[in-house]
Amino acid sequence: MTEATRRPPGTPCWVSLMVHGLDATQEFYQALFGWEFVPGPEQLGPYVRALLGGKEVAGIGRLPVDRHLRIAWTPYLATENADETAEGVRACGGTVAVGPLDAGEAGRMAICSDPTGAVFGVWQAEAHHGTATAGPPGTPVWNELLTYETSIGKFYRTVFGFELEPVDSPGNDYATLFVDGAPVASLHGVGDALPRDRGPHWMTYFEVADVDAAARLVVELGGRVLSPPRDGTAGRLALVADPEGAVFTLVRSGGR
């Protein structure tokens, strides 16, 4: 279990989702993960923070009616200076779509994309340090970038200072990102196998006690199972989507 503290730069520290139906989305994740909700900063519109056992684990906001963006879970990477990191993103060929801007007293943020278009957030913590617990069912436990080639890791290494280590897996293009010697995220190059409707994108893994039961519940709640439960190197996995189309992975990691 990981308690919330100020994370070293580059560490994934928060996940957030922007949707059209905020109330319906809260109901879905409350039923699936047991989350409760409290109001959060409203600089980007109505926004709530999800709690599990009284500890913050994720955020969900409402998109403006006239904004038709792809609905997706977005990981936020820690930084000591959001403005400097945003400049680094631009200098390395990425894009800054939102900010940097203050989120009340919580911190300072920006929404960016890497040169291939994969979207991620940048978070400079003040009062809010990010996800307060990781490990129990219902918490985000891992983030993976699905991209064309893991060579994009050079961008993240330059901007955030990651250590990049290729994974020895014949026929597969994998790499792990490290911060201070600890693995914090992974890259998976899948080439033309990327979904055409999503392109390169970050994927959030949420821990569950029973992947098969959780996948069935996703369908009962109006979501979809995109890839049925299977056993993998990270544990038992299932790729699912919520009713608005946000894709995420259910995992029973067995102690990652």
Side-chain angles (χ1 to χ4, degrees):
M1 181 181 298
T2 302
E3 297 294 336
T5 57
R6 187 181 295 273
R7 272 43 170 228
T11 307
C13 60
W14 187 244
V15 291
S16 189
L17 176 66
M18 299 297 290
V19 297
H20 295 289
L22 183 56
D23 292 342
T25 299
Q26 288 181 74
E27 292 174 3
F28 173 86
Y29 286 101
Q30 182 178 47
L32 181 62
F33 293 143
W35 289 351
E36 298 177 340
F37 298 91
V38 295
E42 295 190 359
Q43 276 70 18
L44 298 179
Y47 188 85
V48 295
R49 289 179 179 158
L51 307 182
L52 189 66
K55 296 180 179 179
E56 297 174 343
V57 294
I60 303 176
R62 178 184 293 134
L63 284 167
V65 176
D66 59 346
R67 297 296 295 276
H68 299 286
L69 304 176
R70 185 171 63 84
I71 309 299
W73 280 102
T74 300
Y76 281 71
L77 307 180
T79 180
E80 294 180 348
N81 189 310
D83 296 78
E84 289 183 0
T85 299
E87 285 302 314
V89 166
R90 294 189 185 98
C92 292
T95 301
V96 179
V98 177
L101 54 82
D102 291 328
E105 297 179 353
R108 191 162 173 80
M109 59 158 287
I111 303 293
C112 308
S113 60
D114 70 23
T116 70
V119 176
F120 61 93
V122 169
W123 184 251
Q124 177 185 330
E126 296 299 339
H128 176 63
H129 290 168
T131 302
T133 181
T139 62
V141 291
W142 193 248
N143 290 281
E144 181 175 72
L145 174 62
L146 294 169
T147 187
Y148 298 116
E149 298 178 348
T150 57
S151 57
I152 190 63
K154 296 176 183 178
F155 165 84
Y156 291 94
R157 180 175 58 197
T158 302
V159 175
F160 293 100
F162 289 119
E163 303 153 34
L164 186 66
E165 182 176 304
V167 176
D168 186 13
S169 179
N172 292 303
D173 186 15
Y174 287 100
T176 303
L177 299 176
F178 290 80
V179 172
D180 295 338
V184 296
S186 55
L187 311 179
H188 186 189
V190 297
D192 294 336
L194 272 173
R196 291 187 178 182
D197 61 336
R198 292 202 297 275
H201 60 281
W202 281 93
M203 175 72 64
T204 298
Y205 287 63
F206 290 95
E207 186 79 18
V208 292
D210 185 325
V211 170
D212 297 72
R216 290 192 295 270
L217 182 55
V218 165
V219 175
E220 293 172 10
L221 295 170
R224 294 176 294 146
V225 174
L226 305 179
S227 179
R230 62 179 178 83
D231 292 323
T233 56
R236 192 154 178 80
L237 309 163
L239 184 67
V240 300
D242 70 18
E244 287 212 20
V247 177
F248 57 99
T249 296
L250 303 170
V251 61
R252 177 71 175 102
S253 62
R256 186 205 295 264

